Amino acid sequence: RAAVLPRGPPLLVSPPHPTRGFCRLSGTWLLYLPCTWSIGLATEPGCLPDWRMLSLFGVGAVLMRGAGCTINDMWDRDYDKKVARTASRPLAAGDISTFHSFVFLGGQLSLALCVLMCLNYYSIVLGAASLSLVITYPLMKRITYWPQLVLGFTFNWGALLGWSAIKGSCEWSVCLPLYLAGVMWTLVYDTIYAHQDKRDDIIIGVKSTALQFKEDTKQWLSGFSLAMLLSLCVAGMNCNQTFPYYSAVAAVGAHVAHQIYTLDIDKPEDCWKKFASNRTVGVLLFIGIVLGNL
């Protein structure tokens, strides 16, 4: 599996992932959707969500997901060189220098700050507080078998920020259950995603929940899904949501249950398919929130 090249590092010969570019687009959606849930739940009954806020958070999600990818590639440039699927990334391939990466990252974060400055003061401070997570979460796979948990804390910050952007502060009885639901959701989809790379991860020496759970993955994912659904119900009850919302939660539960039941953790193509379908999960819930408000 590992071919040692003359005067060079081992290069793992996993086939290139055919959807790497779309993967990053999917990541942007998965970062953005918890923001839309929070904005939707904060919307006054009978009203549609604020399109301006949805647009601002959409731009912010693109910029912060891009910044997260840049930081991840900077931390992982030595690992990426050893894996065929990631060896062509600009830093790993030597196409750009670390200095140029810092300049590019500075541009991304500066633009993201411009978006953040369009919000109220509470939200500016709350949004800035997430930067430490954005910077450190790529390191977690070196330290713990639970990097997906830290990713969940990072990717679902918008579940707090969206509400505060509308209301001026967080209603914790709603925001915390919604945030917890997002974290549980991330543990589900990113554990599925991690099963694609588990063989390479073992050789390289990085950790993941896929390696931690092994053949018990479906049981763990079922527990995370149940916690997600219960948290969504608590969030809905605490902001007086209506029947369409709970119908959407039920549809989300059915979708996730089907993912887990049909998942083949030893087939990367199936893991990718299940991972990518989680955008549908997020959109279903957002539609339920909007209809519940109306």
Side-chain angles (χ1 to χ4, degrees):
R1 183 158 179 87
V4 180
L5 304 180
R7 295 182 300 279
L11 181 66
L12 306 187
V13 292
S14 302
H17 202 296
T19 46
R20 189 185 121 208
F22 184 73
C23 172
R24 296 203 173 191
L25 181 59
S26 292
T28 303
W29 274 105
L30 296 172
L31 179 64
Y32 176 56
L33 285 165
C35 307
T36 69
W37 303 345
S38 191
I39 292 170
L41 287 175
T43 301
E44 292 297 322
C47 299
L48 290 169
D50 186 336
W51 67 268
R52 176 177 170 272
M53 281 297 174
L54 290 174
S55 301
L56 275 176
F57 274 78
V59 173
V62 171
L63 291 170
M64 288 307 297
R65 174 58 179 156
C69 288
T70 302
I71 293 169
N72 185 75
D73 289 356
M74 290 169 71
W75 283 122
D76 288 353
R77 59 188 181 276
D78 292 330
Y79 286 113
D80 289 344
K81 292 175 184 177
K82 303 176 183 178
V83 180
R85 183 168 66 83
T86 58
S88 62
R89 290 178 177 175
L91 265 171
D95 295 335
I96 60 174
S97 67
T98 301
F99 172 76
H100 289 138
S101 299
F102 272 111
V103 172
F104 183 59
L105 176 62
Q108 290 174 302
L109 293 177
S110 296
L111 290 173
L113 179 62
C114 292
V115 173
L116 190 62
M117 295 299 291
C118 296
L119 308 180
N120 55 62
Y121 290 120
Y122 184 100
S123 299
I124 292 171
V125 174
L126 184 63
S130 69
L131 189 58
S132 60
L133 286 170
V134 175
I135 292 172
T136 58
Y137 87 80
L139 287 173
M140 292 300 108
K141 57 181 170 285
R142 297 163 169 78
I143 301 169
T144 175
Y145 280 99
W146 291 82
Q148 280 71 25
L149 179 61
V150 183
L151 181 67
F153 292 145
T154 308
F155 255 48
N156 294 281
W157 202 259
L160 309 176
L161 194 57
W163 184 285
S164 72
I166 299 295
K167 298 290 192 180
S169 64
C170 285
E171 175 59 55
W172 295 109
S173 64
V174 178
C175 293
L176 280 182
L178 187 66
Y179 183 56
L180 177 61
V183 172
M184 294 297 105
W185 182 43
T186 302
L187 278 166
V188 172
Y189 67 66
D190 208 57
T191 297
I192 292 172
Y193 184 84
H195 271 285
Q196 296 179 105
D197 295 330
K198 59 188 176 184
R199 292 181 179 85
D200 288 348
D201 289 346
I202 291 171
I203 297 170
I204 295 171
V206 298
K207 302 175 175 67
S208 72
T209 48
L211 298 178
Q212 176 73 14
F213 301 155
K214 300 178 182 176
E215 298 304 318
D216 294 329
T217 290
K218 290 191 177 185
Q219 292 93 313
W220 281 93
L221 297 188
S222 298
F224 297 146
S225 300
L226 180 59
M228 173 191 176
L229 296 173
L230 290 175
S231 297
L232 288 174
C233 289
V234 171
M237 289 187 290
N238 287 341
C239 64
N240 301 313
Q241 266 294 337
T242 56
F243 177 74
Y245 173 82
Y246 296 105
S247 298
V249 171
V252 163
H255 192 294
V256 174
H258 180 264
Q259 281 186 49
I260 296 170
Y261 181 74
T262 60
L263 175 65
D264 187 338
I265 60 173
D266 295 319
K267 289 186 177 179
E269 299 83 2
D270 187 59
C271 292
W272 164 256
K273 181 180 177 182
K274 298 300 193 301
F275 166 77
S277 72
N278 277 278
R279 181 172 63 175
T280 302
V281 171
V283 171
L284 277 174
L285 184 60
F286 177 64
I287 292 172
I289 291 169
V290 172
L291 293 178
N293 281 346
L294 293 177

